[in-house]
Amino acid sequence: MGQYDRYVLRQLVMLFGFFSLVLVSVYWVNQAARLFDSLIADGQNVSVFLEFSALTLPWIVQLILPVAAFVATLYIFNRMIGESELVVLQTAGLSALRLLRPVFFFGLLMAVLIGVLGNVLAPTARAQFIDRQDEVRDDLTGRFLRAGEFIHPTGGLTLYIREITELGEFRDLFLQDASNRGVEVSYSATNALLVRSPTGPRLVMFDGLAQTLDLETGRLATVSFSDFTYDVGALMDGGDLRQVDVRELPTLLLLSADEMMAEVLNVPLAHMVFEGHDRIAQSLFVIFVPLIGAASLMLGSFSRFGVWRQILIAVLLVLPLQIVRNAGEAAVRADADAWPMAYAQPSVAAFVALSMVALAMRRRKGWGAVPA
């Protein structure tokens, strides 16, 4: 790798890091705001929010990297053109292909990053995110730990706790269960505890009274108890078996999936096939995105007015590639045997990149002419 390659590659990596940080921050803030509202509304603390936010970062970064690589390439080559660095280099005899070589190395580096994120970090983080999401949904402690106010952890359930001790004991508890049609049951207890069990959270009440009201007849039945266990988890959603998300499955498993495996996991085979091949396709796609941007900026001759036309061309070439990916996804999800369509986006991107490189090589002489 020559001095020019190291110079351009260093500039690309630095600007890529900056743009990645900015774009990830913007996207993350948007996602974090909704996540914060849902978690805090359920009574969770800030540590749970930070944990969930960290688990969402791998697939956010995976989405942002191609965009950051493209923007960084446009910025660097626009600056090099504006400062006449490319004019000097081409006048010194460097071909367009030679000038684009560090961009190709940069694309390979991006492919490695996307490959690690898409095949290792993102699936692992997705699996942990879903597991923690189920745990938080089943853990009602955060929803109950609010003293002095009436709360509604779920539909048909009303709870009031006068005081919560430092050890987590509830003092003077009132619980009304109206989840069953035609019947309302009200519990009052001197003390209570919220405990975990293999089947879900349970509320253990001591020294209390249970009052059952039949809404049709208006009859009231009362029962005193010294201790009573109330199954809170039975009223909550999510008691069924955990649904598998294809985004959390290993790539090798997705690529080798068959009808039997899809039936066992209760996931459509076509979805598994597309997800496995799409992870590889995204790694290949990001190789050509910087090449398209750099080669497009090298199409025109030097101009004091900048290269905004070439930048617009690069953007217009890259944007339709997402439509190609959507079309390939629709084809594979409709028929698993059409899995080669998962590689439509990187294939078209490779063709566009090679075409732009060929055009840039033909326009080499234009850089040496500075208009009067």
Side-chain angles (χ1 to χ4, degrees), residues 251-270:
T251 302
L252 291 178
L253 186 146
L254 293 172
L255 294 176
S256 61
D258 53 19
E259 291 288 354
M260 183 179 298
M261 183 182 300
E263 184 177 353
V264 171
L265 297 177
N266 193 26
V267 177
L269 176 62

PDB file of all heavy atoms in Angstrom, residues 251-270:
ATOM      1  N   THR A 251     -26.336 -17.148  11.358  1.00  0.00           N
ATOM      2  CA  THR A 251     -26.367 -17.133   9.901  1.00  0.00           C
ATOM      3  C   THR A 251     -26.274 -18.534   9.315  1.00  0.00           C
ATOM      4  O   THR A 251     -26.995 -18.871   8.363  1.00  0.00           O
ATOM      5  CB  THR A 251     -25.221 -16.266   9.365  1.00  0.00           C
ATOM      6  OG1 THR A 251     -25.339 -14.945   9.902  1.00  0.00           O
ATOM      7  CG2 THR A 251     -25.259 -16.179   7.851  1.00  0.00           C
ATOM      8  N   LEU A 252     -25.407 -19.371   9.857  1.00  0.00           N
ATOM      9  CA  LEU A 252     -25.250 -20.735   9.334  1.00  0.00           C
ATOM     10  C   LEU A 252     -26.549 -21.524   9.457  1.00  0.00           C
ATOM     11  O   LEU A 252     -26.900 -22.303   8.571  1.00  0.00           O
ATOM     12  CB  LEU A 252     -24.116 -21.457  10.065  1.00  0.00           C
ATOM     13  CG  LEU A 252     -22.705 -20.938   9.789  1.00  0.00           C
ATOM     14  CD1 LEU A 252     -21.674 -21.711  10.610  1.00  0.00           C
ATOM     15  CD2 LEU A 252     -22.384 -21.042   8.305  1.00  0.00           C
ATOM     16  N   LEU A 253     -27.265 -21.319  10.563  1.00  0.00           N
ATOM     17  CA  LEU A 253     -28.546 -22.006  10.741  1.00  0.00           C
ATOM     18  C   LEU A 253     -29.555 -21.527   9.702  1.00  0.00           C
ATOM     19  O   LEU A 253     -30.326 -22.327   9.154  1.00  0.00           O
ATOM     20  CB  LEU A 253     -29.065 -21.774  12.156  1.00  0.00           C
ATOM     21  CG  LEU A 253     -30.339 -22.530  12.566  1.00  0.00           C
ATOM     22  CD1 LEU A 253     -30.273 -22.905  14.036  1.00  0.00           C
ATOM     23  CD2 LEU A 253     -31.596 -21.692  12.313  1.00  0.00           C
ATOM     24  N   LEU A 254     -29.557 -20.236   9.426  1.00  0.00           N
ATOM     25  CA  LEU A 254     -30.498 -19.688   8.436  1.00  0.00           C
ATOM     26  C   LEU A 254     -30.191 -20.212   7.042  1.00  0.00           C
ATOM     27  O   LEU A 254     -31.104 -20.536   6.275  1.00  0.00           O
ATOM     28  CB  LEU A 254     -30.432 -18.167   8.453  1.00  0.00           C
ATOM     29  CG  LEU A 254     -30.926 -17.479   9.728  1.00  0.00           C
ATOM     30  CD1 LEU A 254     -30.610 -15.993   9.680  1.00  0.00           C
ATOM     31  CD2 LEU A 254     -32.419 -17.684   9.915  1.00  0.00           C
ATOM     32  N   LEU A 255     -28.913 -20.298   6.697  1.00  0.00           N
ATOM     33  CA  LEU A 255     -28.530 -20.750   5.357  1.00  0.00           C
ATOM     34  C   LEU A 255     -28.815 -22.231   5.147  1.00  0.00           C
ATOM     35  O   LEU A 255     -29.042 -22.669   4.015  1.00  0.00           O
ATOM     36  CB  LEU A 255     -27.048 -20.468   5.117  1.00  0.00           C
ATOM     37  CG  LEU A 255     -26.652 -18.989   5.068  1.00  0.00           C
ATOM     38  CD1 LEU A 255     -25.148 -18.856   4.916  1.00  0.00           C
ATOM     39  CD2 LEU A 255     -27.367 -18.269   3.921  1.00  0.00           C
ATOM     40  N   SER A 256     -28.787 -23.010   6.222  1.00  0.00           N
ATOM     41  CA  SER A 256     -29.025 -24.459   6.120  1.00  0.00           C
ATOM     42  C   SER A 256     -30.443 -24.854   6.514  1.00  0.00           C
ATOM     43  O   SER A 256     -30.730 -26.038   6.678  1.00  0.00           O
ATOM     44  CB  SER A 256     -28.025 -25.204   7.008  1.00  0.00           C
ATOM     45  OG  SER A 256     -28.187 -24.827   8.378  1.00  0.00           O
ATOM     46  N   ALA A 257     -31.332 -23.878   6.670  1.00  0.00           N
ATOM     47  CA  ALA A 257     -32.696 -24.163   7.132  1.00  0.00           C
ATOM     48  C   ALA A 257     -33.470 -24.958   6.091  1.00  0.00           C
ATOM     49  O   ALA A 257     -33.257 -24.825   4.886  1.00  0.00           O
ATOM     50  CB  ALA A 257     -33.423 -22.857   7.448  1.00  0.00           C
ATOM     51  N   ASP A 258     -34.372 -25.819   6.579  1.00  0.00           N
ATOM     52  CA  ASP A 258     -35.272 -26.568   5.708  1.00  0.00           C
ATOM     53  C   ASP A 258     -36.686 -26.474   6.269  1.00  0.00           C
ATOM     54  O   ASP A 258     -36.937 -25.799   7.271  1.00  0.00           O
ATOM     55  CB  ASP A 258     -34.826 -28.024   5.572  1.00  0.00           C
ATOM     56  CG  ASP A 258     -34.620 -28.712   6.931  1.00  0.00           C
ATOM     57  OD1 ASP A 258     -35.155 -28.198   7.941  1.00  0.00           O
ATOM     58  OD2 ASP A 258     -33.930 -29.744   7.003  1.00  0.00           O
ATOM     59  N   GLU A 259     -37.616 -27.153   5.622  1.00  0.00           N
ATOM     60  CA  GLU A 259     -39.019 -27.084   6.029  1.00  0.00           C
ATOM     61  C   GLU A 259     -39.228 -27.588   7.450  1.00  0.00           C
ATOM     62  O   GLU A 259     -40.007 -27.017   8.217  1.00  0.00           O
ATOM     63  CB  GLU A 259     -39.884 -27.880   5.055  1.00  0.00           C
ATOM     64  CG  GLU A 259     -40.001 -27.267   3.666  1.00  0.00           C
ATOM     65  CD  GLU A 259     -40.865 -26.016   3.663  1.00  0.00           C
ATOM     66  OE1 GLU A 259     -41.459 -25.696   4.711  1.00  0.00           O
ATOM     67  OE2 GLU A 259     -40.935 -25.348   2.615  1.00  0.00           O
ATOM     68  N   MET A 260     -38.523 -28.656   7.813  1.00  0.00           N
ATOM     69  CA  MET A 260     -38.687 -29.220   9.156  1.00  0.00           C
ATOM     70  C   MET A 260     -38.228 -28.232  10.223  1.00  0.00           C
ATOM     71  O   MET A 260     -38.903 -28.031  11.244  1.00  0.00           O
ATOM     72  CB  MET A 260     -37.905 -30.533   9.272  1.00  0.00           C
ATOM     73  CG  MET A 260     -38.070 -31.227  10.611  1.00  0.00           C
ATOM     74  SD  MET A 260     -37.163 -32.786  10.682  1.00  0.00           S
ATOM     75  CE  MET A 260     -37.989 -33.706   9.369  1.00  0.00           C
ATOM     76  N   MET A 261     -37.076 -27.615  10.001  1.00  0.00           N
ATOM     77  CA  MET A 261     -36.559 -26.643  10.962  1.00  0.00           C
ATOM     78  C   MET A 261     -37.486 -25.436  11.061  1.00  0.00           C
ATOM     79  O   MET A 261     -37.744 -24.922  12.157  1.00  0.00           O
ATOM     80  CB  MET A 261     -35.154 -26.199  10.564  1.00  0.00           C
ATOM     81  CG  MET A 261     -34.507 -25.232  11.543  1.00  0.00           C
ATOM     82  SD  MET A 261     -32.869 -24.711  10.982  1.00  0.00           S
ATOM     83  CE  MET A 261     -32.036 -26.304  10.924  1.00  0.00           C
ATOM     84  N   ALA A 262     -37.984 -24.972   9.929  1.00  0.00           N
ATOM     85  CA  ALA A 262     -38.894 -23.829   9.940  1.00  0.00           C
ATOM     86  C   ALA A 262     -40.168 -24.147  10.708  1.00  0.00           C
ATOM     87  O   ALA A 262     -40.709 -23.296  11.427  1.00  0.00           O
ATOM     88  CB  ALA A 262     -39.218 -23.413   8.507  1.00  0.00           C
ATOM     89  N   GLU A 263     -40.646 -25.373  10.585  1.00  0.00           N
ATOM     90  CA  GLU A 263     -41.862 -25.771  11.300  1.00  0.00           C
ATOM     91  C   GLU A 263     -41.613 -25.840  12.797  1.00  0.00           C
ATOM     92  O   GLU A 263     -42.457 -25.432  13.601  1.00  0.00           O
ATOM     93  CB  GLU A 263     -42.341 -27.119  10.770  1.00  0.00           C
ATOM     94  CG  GLU A 263     -43.659 -27.572  11.386  1.00  0.00           C
ATOM     95  CD  GLU A 263     -44.154 -28.877  10.781  1.00  0.00           C
ATOM     96  OE1 GLU A 263     -43.540 -29.360   9.798  1.00  0.00           O
ATOM     97  OE2 GLU A 263     -45.162 -29.415  11.294  1.00  0.00           O
ATOM     98  N   VAL A 264     -40.445 -26.340  13.183  1.00  0.00           N
ATOM     99  CA  VAL A 264     -40.113 -26.430  14.603  1.00  0.00           C
ATOM    100  C   VAL A 264     -40.000 -25.039  15.224  1.00  0.00           C
ATOM    101  O   VAL A 264     -40.498 -24.789  16.329  1.00  0.00           O
ATOM    102  CB  VAL A 264     -38.793 -27.212  14.797  1.00  0.00           C
ATOM    103  CG1 VAL A 264     -38.322 -27.117  16.251  1.00  0.00           C
ATOM    104  CG2 VAL A 264     -38.984 -28.674  14.407  1.00  0.00           C
ATOM    105  N   LEU A 265     -39.370 -24.111  14.515  1.00  0.00           N
ATOM    106  CA  LEU A 265     -39.191 -22.749  15.028  1.00  0.00           C
ATOM    107  C   LEU A 265     -40.421 -21.877  14.814  1.00  0.00           C
ATOM    108  O   LEU A 265     -40.464 -20.749  15.312  1.00  0.00           O
ATOM    109  CB  LEU A 265     -37.985 -22.097  14.353  1.00  0.00           C
ATOM    110  CG  LEU A 265     -36.625 -22.750  14.606  1.00  0.00           C
ATOM    111  CD1 LEU A 265     -35.538 -22.049  13.816  1.00  0.00           C
ATOM    112  CD2 LEU A 265     -36.290 -22.734  16.091  1.00  0.00           C
ATOM    113  N   ASN A 266     -41.399 -22.385  14.060  1.00  0.00           N
ATOM    114  CA  ASN A 266     -42.624 -21.635  13.760  1.00  0.00           C
ATOM    115  C   ASN A 266     -42.304 -20.325  13.045  1.00  0.00           C
ATOM    116  O   ASN A 266     -42.837 -19.260  13.366  1.00  0.00           O
ATOM    117  CB  ASN A 266     -43.416 -21.377  15.042  1.00  0.00           C
ATOM    118  CG  ASN A 266     -44.834 -20.898  14.752  1.00  0.00           C
ATOM    119  OD1 ASN A 266     -45.396 -21.202  13.696  1.00  0.00           O
ATOM    120  ND2 ASN A 266     -45.418 -20.151  15.669  1.00  0.00           N
ATOM    121  N   VAL A 267     -41.386 -20.417  12.073  1.00  0.00           N
ATOM    122  CA  VAL A 267     -40.973 -19.260  11.277  1.00  0.00           C
ATOM    123  C   VAL A 267     -41.038 -19.651   9.808  1.00  0.00           C
ATOM    124  O   VAL A 267     -40.605 -20.745   9.440  1.00  0.00           O
ATOM    125  CB  VAL A 267     -39.535 -18.816  11.640  1.00  0.00           C
ATOM    126  CG1 VAL A 267     -39.092 -17.659  10.755  1.00  0.00           C
ATOM    127  CG2 VAL A 267     -39.460 -18.419  13.100  1.00  0.00           C
ATOM    128  N   PRO A 268     -41.584 -18.808   8.925  1.00  0.00           N
ATOM    129  CA  PRO A 268     -41.623 -19.152   7.497  1.00  0.00           C
ATOM    130  C   PRO A 268     -40.221 -19.412   6.950  1.00  0.00           C
ATOM    131  O   PRO A 268     -39.288 -18.660   7.221  1.00  0.00           O
ATOM    132  CB  PRO A 268     -42.256 -17.914   6.850  1.00  0.00           C
ATOM    133  CG  PRO A 268     -43.041 -17.274   7.957  1.00  0.00           C
ATOM    134  CD  PRO A 268     -42.264 -17.536   9.213  1.00  0.00           C
ATOM    135  N   LEU A 269     -40.086 -20.483   6.189  1.00  0.00           N
ATOM    136  CA  LEU A 269     -38.788 -20.851   5.636  1.00  0.00           C
ATOM    137  C   LEU A 269     -38.237 -19.742   4.741  1.00  0.00           C
ATOM    138  O   LEU A 269     -37.036 -19.456   4.761  1.00  0.00           O
ATOM    139  CB  LEU A 269     -38.906 -22.164   4.845  1.00  0.00           C
ATOM    140  CG  LEU A 269     -37.640 -22.631   4.123  1.00  0.00           C
ATOM    141  CD1 LEU A 269     -36.528 -22.899   5.123  1.00  0.00           C
ATOM    142  CD2 LEU A 269     -37.936 -23.890   3.301  1.00  0.00           C
ATOM    143  N   ALA A 270     -39.097 -19.116   3.946  1.00  0.00           N
ATOM    144  CA  ALA A 270     -38.638 -18.069   3.036  1.00  0.00           C
ATOM    145  C   ALA A 270     -38.027 -16.894   3.800  1.00  0.00           C
ATOM    146  O   ALA A 270     -37.048 -16.294   3.347  1.00  0.00           O
ATOM    147  CB  ALA A 270     -39.797 -17.583   2.166  1.00  0.00           C
TER     148      ALA A 270
END
